[in-house]
């Protein structure tokens, strides 16, 4: 039996706004699950329903097989870390971390031992006597995490915990959160709009859009087997390129290039005359003509040297695309070039449903 079960969960706010539709998910003990999607897609609402901070309008939430809809946050044994890590400014790091246990009247000795252990996991041992104002943003966020993990709850919930940090601190804290999860083994649900955070941290990712779950899978599955155009475009950076057009004679036009779709999809005949979307990732292409692939003639509009690779912006007729290539091979702006997309890296989507085909 799964540790946490969300069965057809819906949220309709008092103003009538339907923020979450039929959310279904089973989470195993110790799993790290990330909810990802654009702002406003219902991630926080779902997390808050799991935390017991928001009523579940419809559906059932189970902890260890037991209905938890009516349980308060304490009974659910959840700890939550928010984006704004409000620490008590007049208390030391030690007291901030210990606060929850002190309130519960836990023995001083036990508190001491658990604060020390938590501080060790978080690398805060030498800061225990400091006040929050004498810490960096990343250190403060670690204290906020410490306050949550010291309680040894079953479920650890995090809502955009890194969004107040700068880019460098985010990368460091991301690594630390992964380490903390390895050490504590706590079942974790983590909300972010950042696909990189989702990909790097998650055992499994739930991609959401407009209150609906789009796909649930491992980072690998979402990257290589996206279920629809939205997931394909959301996961991966730079995003997947899309070529939209009508199938004519089994082919799709990309500028002056005719891509023979029957090579990818033998029964392409049933899409004749219909609109289709072809996708390929910037990093999947190779410059020049390679066997087993589509060859695309295009013009280089702009290049962005990023270090080991370069983003090459190209156009073929009306279609624009980004190619990510080894920076040693960077072509000249305005050059006419040819690149190849291996067939295995080509994705086809029904333009109407936007679902993957084949
Ligand atoms: P996310 O976390 O993905 O950014 P939220 O779960 O915060 O999204 O919000 C989902 C949708 O629900 C948004 O359109 C938001 O405006 C709406 N919403 C959030 N809270 C309320 C509320 N208390 N009353 C009405 N609508 C709300």
């Amino acid at each position: 039996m799964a540790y946490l079960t969300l069965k057809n969960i819906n949220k309709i706010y008092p103003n009538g706004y339907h923020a979450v539709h039929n959310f279904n998910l089973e989470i195993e003990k110790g799993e790290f699950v990330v909810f990802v999607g654009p702002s406003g897609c219902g991630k926080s609402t779902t997390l808050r329903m799991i935390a017991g901070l928001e009523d579940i309008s419809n559906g059932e939430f189970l902890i260890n097989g037991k209905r938890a809809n009516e349980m308060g946050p304490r009974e659910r044994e959840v700890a939550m870390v928010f984006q704004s890590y409000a620490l008590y400014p007049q208390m030391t790091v030690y007291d901030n971390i210990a606060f929850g246990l002190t309130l519960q009247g836990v023995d001083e000795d036990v508190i001491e031992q658990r604060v020390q252990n938590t501080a060790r996991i978080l690398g805060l041992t030498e800061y225990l006597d400091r006040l929050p104002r004498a810490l960096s943003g990343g250190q403060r966020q670690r204290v906020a995490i410490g306050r949550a993990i010291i309680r040894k709850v079953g479920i650890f919930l995090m809502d955009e915990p890194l969004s107040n940090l700068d880019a460098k601190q985010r990368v460091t804290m991301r690594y630390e959160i992964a380490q903390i999860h390895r050490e504590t083994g706590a079942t974790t649900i983590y909300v972010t709009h950042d696909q990189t955070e989702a990909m790097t941290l998650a055992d499994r990712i739930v991609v959401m859009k407009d209150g609906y779950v789009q796909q649930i899978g491992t980072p690998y599955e979402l990257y290589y087997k996206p279920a629809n155009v939205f997931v394909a475009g959301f996961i991966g950076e730079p995003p997947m390129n899309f070529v939209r057009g009508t199938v004519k004679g089994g082919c799709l036009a990309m500028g002056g290039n005719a891509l023979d779709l029957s090579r990818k999809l033998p029964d392409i005949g049933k899409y004749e005359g219909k609109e289709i979307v072809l996708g390929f990732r910037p990093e999947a292409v190779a410059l020049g003509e390679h066997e087993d692939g589509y060859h695309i003639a295009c013009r280089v509009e702009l290049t962005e040297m990023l270090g080991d690779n370069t983003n090459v912006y190209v156009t073929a007729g009306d279609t624009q695309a980004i190619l990510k290539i080894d920076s040693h091979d960077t072509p000249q702006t305005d050059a006419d070039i040819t690149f190849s997309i291996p067939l295995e890296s080509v994705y086809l989507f029904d333009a109407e449903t936007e679902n993957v085909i084949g």
Side-chain angles (χ1 to χ4, degrees):
M1 179 181 46
Y3 179 43
L4 303 178
T5 306
L6 288 92
K7 259 194 214 165
N8 276 317
I9 298 277
N10 283 267
K11 178 66 187 181
I12 302 158
Y13 279 111
N15 68 357
Y17 187 74
H18 200 154
V20 177
H21 299 257
N22 297 326
F23 192 110
N24 284 293
L25 177 66
E26 295 201 334
I27 299 177
E28 299 300 329
K29 211 168 183 94
E31 248 194 305
F32 197 123
V33 173
V34 177
F35 297 169
V36 72
S39 180
C41 70
K43 308 179 294 288
S44 292
T45 301
T46 308
L47 196 74
R48 292 169 61 80
M49 288 192 282
I50 293 170
L53 300 172
E54 200 72 69
D55 285 341
I56 294 167
S57 311
N58 247 304
E60 208 169 30
F61 174 50
L62 310 173
I63 302 177
N64 268 328
K66 201 171 144 205
R67 182 177 161 100
N69 291 43
E70 289 76 26
M71 288 183 193
R74 198 167 276 269
E75 204 185 339
R76 295 183 191 198
E77 303 210 312
V78 296
M80 192 147 167
V81 177
F82 297 94
Q83 168 174 354
S84 56
Y85 33 85
L87 303 178
Y88 299 103
Q90 76 287 10
M91 284 188 198
T92 61
V93 168
Y94 182 103
D95 291 336
N96 264 288
I97 295 177
F99 189 67
L101 299 184
T102 312
L103 271 190
Q104 286 173 29
V106 175
D107 246 25
E108 289 288 334
D109 291 354
V110 177
I111 294 181
E112 163 85 28
Q113 189 230 327
R114 281 180 44 192
V115 171
Q116 291 294 352
N117 189 38
T118 304
R120 184 187 53 76
I121 293 172
L122 294 166
L124 289 169
T125 306
E126 55 189 299
Y127 304 102
L128 286 173
D129 295 332
R130 289 207 194 171
L131 292 174
R133 65 165 178 271
L135 300 176
S136 71
Q139 289 164 340
R140 281 182 219 162
Q141 187 57 290
R142 272 187 262 160
V143 177
I145 292 172
R147 235 174 17 182
I149 64 175
I150 197 170
R151 290 177 44 212
K152 298 202 169 153
V153 295
I155 313 164
F156 197 35
L157 306 176
M158 297 203 238
D159 194 349
E160 303 258 6
L162 307 187
S163 51
N164 285 334
L165 305 179
D166 66 36
K168 220 172 187 156
Q169 285 175 329
R170 274 210 298 275
V171 175
T172 314
M173 273 308 290
R174 203 169 73 200
Y175 174 80
E176 290 185 6
I177 286 174
Q179 291 289 66
I180 293 164
H181 179 249
R182 254 179 38 162
E183 282 218 32
T184 61
T187 308
T188 305
I189 309 176
Y190 185 107
V191 160
T192 180
H193 63 274
D194 181 322
Q195 66 93 27
T196 311
E197 262 172 44
M199 291 293 277
T200 50
L201 285 169
D203 293 320
R204 275 191 308 153
I205 300 176
V206 179
V207 183
M208 296 180 73
K209 180 191 169 216
D210 299 336
Y212 289 90
V213 172
Q214 301 293 304
Q215 190 171 1
I216 301 174
T218 62
Y220 187 94
E221 285 163 350
L222 295 191
Y223 182 84
Y224 286 107
K225 294 185 163 57
N228 57 37
V229 171
F230 180 78
V231 174
F234 194 81
I235 300 290
E237 176 57 35
M240 185 182 279
N241 295 298
F242 295 113
V243 185
R244 192 176 267 269
T246 305
V247 180
K248 281 191 194 133
C251 292
L252 180 71
M254 178 175 175
N257 309 281
L259 313 184
D260 176 2
L261 297 180
S262 67
R263 291 174 63 196
K264 178 75 187 171
L265 194 68
D267 61 347
I268 190 64
K270 62 182 184 200
Y271 282 90
E272 188 67 25
K274 292 197 177 136
E275 250 207 294
I276 206 163
V277 179
L278 180 147
F280 62 96
R281 295 201 181 275
E283 56 275 27
V285 306
L287 291 181
E289 294 189 4
H290 294 259
E291 279 172 36
D292 185 39
Y294 293 126
H295 305 155
I296 315 281
C298 62
R299 168 158 292 226
V300 177
E301 301 292 340
L302 184 79
T303 61
E304 283 176 348
M305 157 75 179
L306 297 170
D308 59 341
N309 53 62
T310 296
N311 287 340
V312 181
Y313 293 74
V314 300
T315 51
D318 295 338
T319 308
Q320 296 178 324
I322 304 179
L323 318 177
K324 187 171 170 179
I325 60 160
D326 189 317
S327 53
H328 294 105
D329 303 329
T330 305
Q332 296 290 323
T333 303
D334 288 336
D336 291 314
I337 62 166
T338 301
F339 68 91
S340 312
I341 320 169
L343 276 187
E344 78 218 20
S345 303
V346 169
Y347 297 86
L348 297 178
F349 305 92
D350 184 312
E352 203 175 304
T353 63
E354 302 214 329
N355 289 331
V356 76
I357 306 168

